[in-house]
Amino acid sequence: MTVADYLSLFAVICIWGLLLVNIVLIIAGYIYYLRNERRDIPDIKGVEPFVSIMVPAHNEGKVIVKTVESLLAFNYPHDRYEVIVINDNSSDNSAELLQNVQMKYPDRNLTVINTDSETGGKGKSNALNIGFEKSRGEYIAIYDADNTPEKNALRYLIGEITHDERLGAVIGKFRTRNRNASWLTRFINIETLSFQWMAQAGRYSLFKLCTIPGTNFVVRRSILTEIGGWDIKAVAEDTEISFRIYMMGYRIKFQSKAVTWEQEPQTLSVWFKQRSRWAKGNIYVILKNVPLLFQKKGRPIRFDILYFLSIYFLLLSSLLLSDTLLIFNFLGYVHTTLASFSTTLWLLAIILFITGTFITLSTEKDEISLSNFLFIMLMYVTYCQLWMVVAVYGFYIFLKDTILKRETKWYKTERF
Protein backbone atom coordinates (compact mmCIF):
# COMPACT_ATOMS: atom_id res chain seq x y z
CA MET A 1 0.00 0.00 0.00
CA THR A 2 1.17 3.51 -0.79
CA VAL A 3 1.19 6.52 1.54
CA ALA A 4 -1.92 7.76 -0.27
CA ASP A 5 -3.62 4.42 0.48
CA TYR A 6 -2.88 4.70 4.20
CA LEU A 7 -4.10 8.30 4.30
CA SER A 8 -7.25 7.34 2.41
CA LEU A 9 -7.91 4.42 4.75
CA PHE A 10 -7.44 6.66 7.80
CA ALA A 11 -9.90 9.22 6.42
CA VAL A 12 -12.50 6.56 5.59
CA ILE A 13 -12.31 4.97 9.06
CA CYS A 14 -12.69 8.36 10.79
CA ILE A 15 -15.59 9.50 8.61
CA TRP A 16 -17.47 6.24 8.92
CA GLY A 17 -16.82 5.98 12.62
CA LEU A 18 -18.41 9.38 13.23
CA LEU A 19 -21.20 8.59 10.78
CA LEU A 20 -22.07 5.48 12.77
CA VAL A 21 -22.02 7.47 16.02
CA ASN A 22 -24.47 9.93 14.46
CA ILE A 23 -26.72 7.08 13.28
CA VAL A 24 -26.79 5.65 16.81
CA LEU A 25 -27.74 9.07 18.19
CA ILE A 26 -30.51 9.46 15.61
CA ILE A 27 -31.96 6.02 16.38
CA ALA A 28 -31.83 6.70 20.13
CA GLY A 29 -33.35 10.15 19.57
CA TYR A 30 -36.17 8.75 17.46
CA ILE A 31 -37.03 6.18 20.16
CA TYR A 32 -36.91 8.94 22.81
CA TYR A 33 -39.26 11.07 20.69
CA LEU A 34 -41.83 8.26 20.41
CA ARG A 35 -41.74 7.67 24.16
CA ASN A 36 -41.88 11.36 25.01
CA GLU A 37 -44.95 11.91 22.84
CA ARG A 38 -46.86 9.37 24.95
CA ARG A 39 -45.59 10.74 28.24
CA ASP A 40 -47.46 13.37 30.29
CA ILE A 41 -45.46 16.36 31.49
CA PRO A 42 -45.64 16.91 35.28
CA ASP A 43 -48.49 19.27 36.19
CA ILE A 44 -47.63 22.47 38.08
CA LYS A 45 -51.09 24.07 38.00
CA GLY A 46 -51.55 26.14 41.15
CA VAL A 47 -47.94 25.78 42.30
CA GLU A 48 -46.11 27.66 39.55
CA PRO A 49 -42.73 29.01 40.78
CA PHE A 50 -41.72 32.57 39.91
CA VAL A 51 -39.68 32.66 36.68
CA SER A 52 -37.50 35.40 35.20
CA ILE A 53 -37.41 35.37 31.39
CA MET A 54 -34.42 37.19 29.93
CA VAL A 55 -34.04 38.38 26.34
CA PRO A 56 -30.63 39.78 25.31
CA ALA A 57 -31.09 42.08 22.33
CA HIS A 58 -28.80 44.24 20.19
CA ASN A 59 -30.38 46.21 17.33
CA GLU A 60 -33.36 43.86 17.15
CA GLY A 61 -36.01 46.41 16.17
CA LYS A 62 -37.28 44.25 13.30
CA VAL A 63 -38.28 41.34 15.53
CA ILE A 64 -38.29 42.39 19.19
CA VAL A 65 -41.96 43.44 19.48
CA LYS A 66 -43.28 40.14 18.15
CA THR A 67 -40.94 38.26 20.47
CA VAL A 68 -41.89 40.16 23.64
CA GLU A 69 -45.61 39.91 22.91
CA SER A 70 -45.31 36.13 22.47
CA LEU A 71 -43.50 35.91 25.83
CA LEU A 72 -46.23 37.95 27.52
CA ALA A 73 -48.84 35.53 26.10
CA PHE A 74 -47.49 32.41 27.83
CA ASN A 75 -49.98 30.00 29.37
CA TYR A 76 -48.52 30.80 32.78
CA PRO A 77 -49.91 33.03 35.56
CA HIS A 78 -48.92 36.58 34.67
CA ASP A 79 -48.03 37.38 38.25
CA ARG A 80 -45.67 34.40 38.43
CA TYR A 81 -43.15 35.49 35.81
CA GLU A 82 -41.31 38.57 34.62
CA VAL A 83 -39.82 39.44 31.24
CA ILE A 84 -36.50 41.31 31.25
CA VAL A 85 -35.27 42.65 27.91
CA ILE A 86 -31.64 43.75 27.90
CA ASN A 87 -31.57 46.27 25.04
CA ASP A 88 -27.80 46.22 24.82
CA ASN A 89 -26.19 49.30 23.29
CA SER A 90 -28.64 49.35 20.37
CA SER A 91 -28.46 52.12 17.80
CA ASP A 92 -31.81 51.38 16.14
CA ASN A 93 -35.35 52.13 17.39
CA SER A 94 -35.50 49.18 19.80
CA ALA A 95 -35.77 51.38 22.92
CA GLU A 96 -38.78 53.26 21.52
CA LEU A 97 -40.50 50.06 20.38
CA LEU A 98 -39.99 48.41 23.77
CA GLN A 99 -41.32 51.49 25.58
CA ASN A 100 -44.47 51.25 23.44
CA VAL A 101 -44.90 47.60 24.42
CA GLN A 102 -44.59 48.54 28.10
CA MET A 103 -47.33 51.16 27.65
CA LYS A 104 -49.50 48.62 25.81
CA TYR A 105 -49.19 46.07 28.63
CA PRO A 106 -49.01 48.15 31.85
CA ASP A 107 -50.26 45.25 33.99
CA ARG A 108 -47.43 42.89 33.05
CA ASN A 109 -44.01 42.40 34.65
CA LEU A 110 -42.00 43.75 31.72
CA THR A 111 -38.64 45.39 32.44
CA VAL A 112 -36.42 46.99 29.81
CA ILE A 113 -32.74 47.59 30.57
CA ASN A 114 -31.11 49.99 28.13
CA THR A 115 -27.30 49.90 28.21
CA ASP A 116 -24.71 52.05 26.45
CA SER A 117 -21.20 51.44 25.14
CA GLU A 118 -19.76 51.70 28.66
CA THR A 119 -22.17 49.44 30.55
CA GLY A 120 -22.90 47.03 27.69
CA GLY A 121 -22.10 46.24 24.09
CA LYS A 122 -19.76 43.41 25.07
CA GLY A 123 -21.74 40.45 23.78
CA LYS A 124 -24.60 38.16 24.76
CA SER A 125 -22.93 36.73 27.88
CA ASN A 126 -22.34 40.17 29.34
CA ALA A 127 -25.92 41.21 28.56
CA LEU A 128 -27.26 38.10 30.33
CA ASN A 129 -25.16 38.89 33.40
CA ILE A 130 -26.62 42.42 33.47
CA GLY A 131 -30.15 41.03 33.28
CA PHE A 132 -29.45 38.36 35.90
CA GLU A 133 -28.53 41.04 38.46
CA LYS A 134 -32.05 42.51 38.09
CA SER A 135 -33.92 39.20 38.00
CA ARG A 136 -35.97 37.77 40.86
CA GLY A 137 -36.99 34.32 39.66
CA GLU A 138 -36.19 30.98 41.25
CA TYR A 139 -35.73 29.78 37.67
CA ILE A 140 -34.23 31.69 34.76
CA ALA A 141 -35.52 31.25 31.20
CA ILE A 142 -33.66 32.53 28.15
CA TYR A 143 -35.05 33.42 24.73
CA ASP A 144 -33.31 34.99 21.76
CA ALA A 145 -34.74 38.21 20.35
CA ASP A 146 -36.10 36.52 17.21
CA ASN A 147 -38.11 33.82 19.01
CA THR A 148 -41.87 33.30 19.14
CA PRO A 149 -42.40 30.39 21.56
CA GLU A 150 -45.63 28.43 21.67
CA LYS A 151 -47.94 29.28 24.58
CA ASN A 152 -47.21 26.15 26.64
CA ALA A 153 -43.42 26.17 26.15
CA LEU A 154 -42.58 27.74 29.52
CA ARG A 155 -45.07 25.57 31.41
CA TYR A 156 -43.55 22.41 29.92
CA LEU A 157 -39.97 23.46 30.74
CA ILE A 158 -40.81 24.44 34.32
CA GLY A 159 -42.94 21.32 34.80
CA GLU A 160 -39.91 19.14 34.02
CA ILE A 161 -37.28 20.95 36.10
CA THR A 162 -39.42 21.34 39.22
CA HIS A 163 -40.12 17.61 39.43
CA ASP A 164 -36.55 16.33 39.24
CA GLU A 165 -33.85 17.70 41.54
CA ARG A 166 -31.16 16.10 39.36
CA LEU A 167 -31.97 18.47 36.51
CA GLY A 168 -29.90 21.65 36.34
CA ALA A 169 -31.57 22.85 33.15
CA VAL A 170 -34.25 21.80 30.67
CA ILE A 171 -34.13 22.71 26.99
CA GLY A 172 -36.87 22.78 24.40
CA LYS A 173 -37.00 22.41 20.64
CA PHE A 174 -36.75 25.23 18.13
CA ARG A 175 -38.30 25.30 14.69
CA THR A 176 -37.63 27.48 11.66
CA ARG A 177 -40.46 29.97 11.20
CA ASN A 178 -39.15 31.33 7.86
CA ARG A 179 -38.35 27.90 6.42
CA ASN A 180 -39.97 28.64 3.06
CA ALA A 181 -38.15 31.95 2.50
CA SER A 182 -35.27 30.49 0.46
CA TRP A 183 -33.38 27.33 -0.37
CA LEU A 184 -31.01 28.16 2.46
CA THR A 185 -33.78 28.28 5.07
CA ARG A 186 -35.10 24.96 3.75
CA PHE A 187 -31.66 23.45 4.39
CA ILE A 188 -31.46 25.05 7.85
CA ASN A 189 -34.91 23.70 8.72
CA ILE A 190 -33.82 20.16 7.82
CA GLU A 191 -30.53 20.59 9.69
CA THR A 192 -32.34 21.82 12.80
CA LEU A 193 -34.76 18.92 12.93
CA SER A 194 -32.29 16.18 12.05
CA PHE A 195 -28.85 17.12 13.31
CA GLN A 196 -29.63 19.41 16.20
CA TRP A 197 -32.69 18.42 18.15
CA MET A 198 -32.78 14.74 17.11
CA ALA A 199 -29.12 14.35 18.11
CA GLN A 200 -29.94 16.16 21.39
CA ALA A 201 -32.71 13.66 22.05
CA GLY A 202 -30.32 10.81 21.33
CA ARG A 203 -27.65 12.12 23.69
CA TYR A 204 -30.18 12.57 26.47
CA SER A 205 -31.61 9.11 25.87
CA LEU A 206 -28.18 7.45 26.03
CA PHE A 207 -26.22 9.66 28.44
CA LYS A 208 -28.87 11.80 30.20
CA LEU A 209 -27.03 14.89 28.91
CA CYS A 210 -27.56 17.42 26.15
CA THR A 211 -26.23 20.86 25.28
CA ILE A 212 -28.12 24.10 25.94
CA PRO A 213 -28.97 25.64 22.53
CA GLY A 214 -28.87 29.28 23.65
CA THR A 215 -32.63 29.82 23.56
CA ASN A 216 -35.84 28.22 24.87
CA PHE A 217 -34.42 26.78 28.06
CA VAL A 218 -34.69 27.17 31.84
CA VAL A 219 -31.92 26.86 34.42
CA ARG A 220 -31.91 26.96 38.20
CA ARG A 221 -31.01 30.34 39.70
CA SER A 222 -28.89 28.62 42.34
CA ILE A 223 -26.62 27.20 39.63
CA LEU A 224 -26.04 30.56 37.96
CA THR A 225 -25.30 32.11 41.33
CA GLU A 226 -22.79 29.39 42.23
CA ILE A 227 -20.89 29.56 38.92
CA GLY A 228 -20.92 33.35 38.81
CA GLY A 229 -23.10 33.77 35.73
CA TRP A 230 -22.00 33.56 32.12
CA ASP A 231 -18.39 33.54 30.88
CA ILE A 232 -18.06 36.88 29.04
CA LYS A 233 -15.20 35.52 26.92
CA ALA A 234 -17.36 32.70 25.55
CA VAL A 235 -19.05 33.43 22.22
CA ALA A 236 -20.76 30.01 22.44
CA GLU A 237 -22.05 30.76 25.94
CA ASP A 238 -24.62 27.98 25.65
CA THR A 239 -22.06 25.19 25.23
CA GLU A 240 -19.78 26.69 27.87
CA ILE A 241 -22.45 26.90 30.55
CA SER A 242 -23.67 23.39 29.70
CA PHE A 243 -20.25 21.99 30.54
CA ARG A 244 -20.22 23.81 33.87
CA ILE A 245 -23.65 22.44 34.76
CA TYR A 246 -22.45 18.91 33.97
CA MET A 247 -19.42 19.45 36.21
CA MET A 248 -21.71 20.28 39.13
CA GLY A 249 -23.30 16.86 38.83
CA TYR A 250 -26.58 17.97 37.26
CA ARG A 251 -28.29 16.66 34.15
CA ILE A 252 -29.70 18.71 31.28
CA LYS A 253 -32.94 17.32 29.87
CA PHE A 254 -34.47 17.74 26.42
CA GLN A 255 -38.24 18.25 26.23
CA SER A 256 -39.40 18.23 22.60
CA LYS A 257 -42.93 19.42 23.44
CA ALA A 258 -41.61 22.84 24.50
CA VAL A 259 -41.34 24.53 21.10
CA THR A 260 -40.18 27.94 19.97
CA TRP A 261 -40.10 29.27 16.42
CA GLU A 262 -37.10 31.34 15.38
CA GLN A 263 -35.99 33.30 12.35
CA GLU A 264 -33.01 31.84 10.51
CA PRO A 265 -30.58 33.57 8.11
CA GLN A 266 -32.05 33.96 4.64
CA THR A 267 -28.84 34.81 2.78
CA LEU A 268 -25.56 32.91 2.54
CA SER A 269 -23.45 35.81 3.83
CA VAL A 270 -25.54 36.19 7.02
CA TRP A 271 -25.54 32.41 7.55
CA PHE A 272 -21.76 32.22 7.07
CA LYS A 273 -21.10 34.92 9.66
CA GLN A 274 -23.43 33.27 12.16
CA ARG A 275 -22.06 29.74 11.75
CA SER A 276 -18.39 30.77 11.73
CA ARG A 277 -19.09 32.59 15.03
CA TRP A 278 -20.61 29.38 16.40
CA ALA A 279 -17.56 27.42 15.24
CA LYS A 280 -15.20 29.92 16.86
CA GLY A 281 -17.17 29.78 20.11
CA ASN A 282 -17.24 25.99 20.24
CA ILE A 283 -13.51 25.79 19.54
CA TYR A 284 -12.90 28.11 22.52
CA VAL A 285 -15.02 25.88 24.79
CA ILE A 286 -13.33 22.70 23.53
CA LEU A 287 -9.81 23.97 24.11
CA LYS A 288 -10.79 25.44 27.48
CA ASN A 289 -12.04 22.05 28.68
CA VAL A 290 -9.65 19.59 26.97
CA PRO A 291 -7.49 19.27 30.14
CA LEU A 292 -10.53 17.80 31.92
CA LEU A 293 -10.23 14.69 29.73
CA PHE A 294 -7.32 13.66 31.91
CA GLN A 295 -8.83 14.62 35.25
CA LYS A 296 -11.22 12.59 37.39
CA LYS A 297 -13.57 15.54 37.86
CA GLY A 298 -14.00 15.79 34.08
CA ARG A 299 -15.78 12.46 33.83
CA PRO A 300 -19.30 13.95 33.34
CA ILE A 301 -18.24 15.85 30.21
CA ARG A 302 -15.75 13.46 28.61
CA PHE A 303 -18.21 12.26 25.98
CA ASP A 304 -19.10 15.79 24.94
CA ILE A 305 -15.46 16.91 24.80
CA LEU A 306 -14.55 13.90 22.68
CA TYR A 307 -17.65 14.42 20.53
CA PHE A 308 -16.80 18.07 19.81
CA LEU A 309 -13.12 17.24 19.30
CA SER A 310 -14.12 14.58 16.80
CA ILE A 311 -16.42 16.93 14.89
CA TYR A 312 -14.18 20.01 14.74
CA PHE A 313 -10.81 18.30 14.45
CA LEU A 314 -11.02 14.65 13.38
CA LEU A 315 -14.01 14.85 11.02
CA LEU A 316 -12.94 18.14 9.49
CA SER A 317 -9.38 16.96 8.80
CA SER A 318 -10.63 13.59 7.48
CA LEU A 319 -13.11 15.20 5.08
CA LEU A 320 -10.50 17.63 3.79
CA LEU A 321 -7.99 14.80 3.38
CA SER A 322 -10.48 12.51 1.66
CA ASP A 323 -11.68 15.19 -0.77
CA THR A 324 -8.10 16.21 -1.58
CA LEU A 325 -7.01 12.62 -2.30
CA LEU A 326 -10.04 11.99 -4.51
CA ILE A 327 -9.35 15.14 -6.53
CA PHE A 328 -5.64 14.44 -6.84
CA ASN A 329 -6.33 10.82 -7.83
CA PHE A 330 -8.76 11.99 -10.51
CA LEU A 331 -6.19 14.48 -11.84
CA GLY A 332 -3.47 11.82 -11.83
CA TYR A 333 -1.19 13.48 -9.26
CA VAL A 334 -1.47 10.55 -6.83
CA HIS A 335 -2.46 6.93 -7.28
CA THR A 336 -4.39 4.96 -4.68
CA THR A 337 -5.72 1.43 -4.98
CA LEU A 338 -8.50 2.35 -2.56
CA ALA A 339 -10.06 4.94 -4.86
CA SER A 340 -12.89 2.68 -6.05
CA PHE A 341 -13.41 1.36 -2.48
CA SER A 342 -13.61 4.92 -1.14
CA THR A 343 -16.09 5.87 -3.85
CA THR A 344 -18.33 2.91 -2.91
CA LEU A 345 -18.27 3.90 0.77
CA TRP A 346 -18.94 7.52 -0.16
CA LEU A 347 -22.06 6.51 -2.13
CA LEU A 348 -23.21 4.32 0.75
CA ALA A 349 -22.69 7.21 3.16
CA ILE A 350 -24.91 9.41 0.98
CA ILE A 351 -27.67 6.78 1.03
CA LEU A 352 -27.46 6.50 4.83
CA PHE A 353 -27.47 10.29 5.16
CA ILE A 354 -30.59 10.69 3.01
CA THR A 355 -32.44 7.81 4.66
CA GLY A 356 -31.61 8.79 8.23
CA THR A 357 -32.42 12.45 7.67
CA PHE A 358 -35.77 11.76 6.03
CA ILE A 359 -36.75 9.38 8.83
CA THR A 360 -36.10 12.10 11.42
CA LEU A 361 -38.29 14.51 9.45
CA SER A 362 -41.15 12.01 9.74
CA THR A 363 -41.55 13.10 13.37
CA GLU A 364 -43.10 16.32 12.03
CA LYS A 365 -46.17 15.67 9.87
CA ASP A 366 -45.81 18.96 8.01
CA GLU A 367 -42.26 18.04 6.91
CA ILE A 368 -43.02 14.78 5.05
CA SER A 369 -42.93 15.71 1.36
CA LEU A 370 -41.21 14.85 -1.90
CA SER A 371 -39.67 18.32 -2.05
CA ASN A 372 -37.98 17.81 1.32
CA PHE A 373 -36.63 14.45 0.13
CA LEU A 374 -35.11 16.18 -2.90
CA PHE A 375 -33.71 18.96 -0.68
CA ILE A 376 -32.01 16.35 1.50
CA MET A 377 -30.31 14.87 -1.58
CA LEU A 378 -29.16 18.30 -2.69
CA MET A 379 -28.16 19.23 0.85
CA TYR A 380 -25.41 16.60 1.06
CA VAL A 381 -23.44 17.93 -1.90
CA THR A 382 -24.00 21.64 -1.19
CA TYR A 383 -24.96 22.77 2.31
CA CYS A 384 -23.04 20.05 4.16
CA GLN A 385 -19.87 20.76 2.19
CA LEU A 386 -20.07 24.43 3.17
CA TRP A 387 -19.71 23.35 6.79
CA MET A 388 -16.05 22.56 6.13
CA VAL A 389 -15.47 26.11 4.93
CA VAL A 390 -17.26 27.49 7.99
CA ALA A 391 -15.23 25.33 10.39
CA VAL A 392 -11.91 26.29 8.81
CA TYR A 393 -12.82 29.99 8.92
CA GLY A 394 -13.95 29.56 12.53
CA PHE A 395 -10.45 28.28 13.37
CA TYR A 396 -8.95 31.27 11.59
CA ILE A 397 -10.94 33.93 13.44
CA PHE A 398 -10.43 32.11 16.76
CA LEU A 399 -6.65 32.17 16.30
CA LYS A 400 -6.72 35.75 15.05
CA ASP A 401 -8.83 37.05 17.94
CA THR A 402 -6.76 35.08 20.46
CA ILE A 403 -3.44 36.40 19.17
CA LEU A 404 -4.70 39.98 18.96
CA LYS A 405 -6.55 39.59 22.32
CA ARG A 406 -9.69 41.17 20.95
CA GLU A 407 -12.52 41.94 23.35
CA THR A 408 -15.71 39.90 22.99
CA LYS A 409 -18.51 41.88 21.32
CA TRP A 410 -21.92 41.37 19.76
CA TYR A 411 -21.91 39.39 16.53
CA LYS A 412 -25.15 40.63 15.07
CA THR A 413 -27.22 38.23 12.97
CA GLU A 414 -29.13 40.29 10.41
CA ARG A 415 -32.92 39.99 10.71
CA PHE A 416 -35.46 40.01 7.93
Side-chain angles (χ1 to χ4, degrees), residues 47-327:
V47 290
E48 294 91 344
F50 192 81
V51 182
S52 294
I53 301 173
M54 300 200 303
V55 184
H58 175 69
N59 290 337
E60 299 285 6
K62 292 181 180 180
V63 294
I64 195 63
V65 172
K66 188 173 183 180
T67 293
V68 173
E69 289 188 334
S70 69
L71 296 176
L72 294 176
F74 271 139
N75 177 23
Y76 203 89
H78 295 153
D79 62 340
R80 300 302 300 156
Y81 77 97
E82 63 179 349
V83 177
I84 302 174
V85 182
I86 307 95
N87 182 36
D88 196 38
N89 194 32
S90 296
S91 57
D92 63 359
N93 63 338
S94 294
E96 179 183 351
L97 292 171
L98 289 167
Q99 185 178 26
N100 291 338
V101 176
Q102 285 180 305
M103 294 173 63
K104 185 177 179 181
Y105 300 95
D107 59 331
R108 303 295 178 83
N109 293 318
L110 173 58
T111 301
V112 178
I113 302 173
N114 295 300
T115 72
D116 54 28
S117 58
E118 292 186 7
T119 58
K122 299 178 178 64
K124 183 177 178 179
S125 294
N126 185 68
L128 288 171
N129 286 333
I130 292 173
F132 184 60
E133 291 180 359
K134 302 292 184 181
S135 65
R136 297 178 288 139
E138 180 182 356
Y139 297 93
I140 306 297
I142 308 296
Y143 283 93
D144 283 339
D146 63 330
N147 275 219
T148 49
E150 295 181 358
K151 289 189 175 183
N152 285 323
L154 183 63
R155 178 170 290 276
Y156 291 158
L157 294 173
I158 295 296
E160 290 285 11
I161 198 169
T162 55
H163 282 76
D164 191 343
E165 294 182 354
R166 296 169 298 176
L167 297 177
V170 179
I171 68 173
K173 180 169 66 174
F174 52 93
R175 299 288 309 277
T176 304
R177 78 181 190 208
N178 59 332
R179 56 187 168 174
N180 295 319
S182 67
W183 280 31
L184 178 61
T185 56
R186 292 287 295 271
F187 288 147
I188 295 172
N189 179 55
I190 294 170
E191 174 198 18
T192 298
L193 292 172
S194 300
F195 304 103
Q196 293 192 36
W197 86 259
M198 186 61 79
Q200 292 273 42
R203 287 168 61 219
Y204 182 77
S205 177
L206 295 174
F207 306 105
K208 295 296 180 278
L209 296 170
C210 49
T211 306
I212 291 173
T215 188
N216 194 31
F217 73 91
V218 295
V219 60
R220 296 180 186 276
R221 181 184 194 88
S222 58
I223 290 178
L224 294 173
T225 300
E226 184 172 340
I227 65 178
W230 283 263
D231 180 353
I232 61 172
K233 293 182 180 179
V235 177
E237 82 295 328
D238 41 13
T239 305
E240 197 279 333
I241 205 167
S242 298
F243 280 18
R244 290 202 275 171
I245 291 174
Y246 298 159
M247 293 290 291
M248 294 175 66
Y250 287 101
R251 296 175 178 176
I252 300 175
K253 187 172 185 176
F254 174 61
Q255 175 48 258
S256 59
K257 292 181 180 180
V259 178
T260 190
W261 294 79
E262 65 179 19
Q263 187 186 96
E264 300 291 356
Q266 293 180 193
T267 65
L268 194 59
S269 61
V270 174
W271 173 85
F272 187 83
K273 290 178 181 177
Q274 180 195 65
R275 297 310 171 92
S276 57
R277 172 175 60 86
W278 289 3
K280 172 197 168 185
N282 283 326
I283 291 166
Y284 166 83
V285 175
I286 294 168
L287 296 180
K288 175 183 177 180
N289 290 281
V290 159
L292 293 173
L293 281 175
F294 312 101
Q295 300 176 25
K296 186 176 181 180
K297 66 178 182 179
R299 183 179 179 182
I301 62 173
R302 279 177 187 159
F303 175 82
D304 269 9
I305 295 175
L306 290 172
Y307 183 75
F308 281 105
L309 277 173
S310 299
I311 295 296
Y312 281 97
F313 292 88
L314 193 57
L315 179 60
L316 177 60
S317 60
S318 298
L319 288 172
L320 291 173
L321 178 60
S322 177
D323 290 351
T324 301
L325 288 173
L326 285 174
I327 294 171

Side-chain angles (χ1 to χ4, degrees), residues 16-29 349 352-353 356:
W16 266 88
L18 290 169
L19 177 62
L20 292 175
V21 169
N22 191 60
I23 290 173
V24 170
L25 290 177
I26 287 177
I27 293 173
L352 286 174
F353 172 86

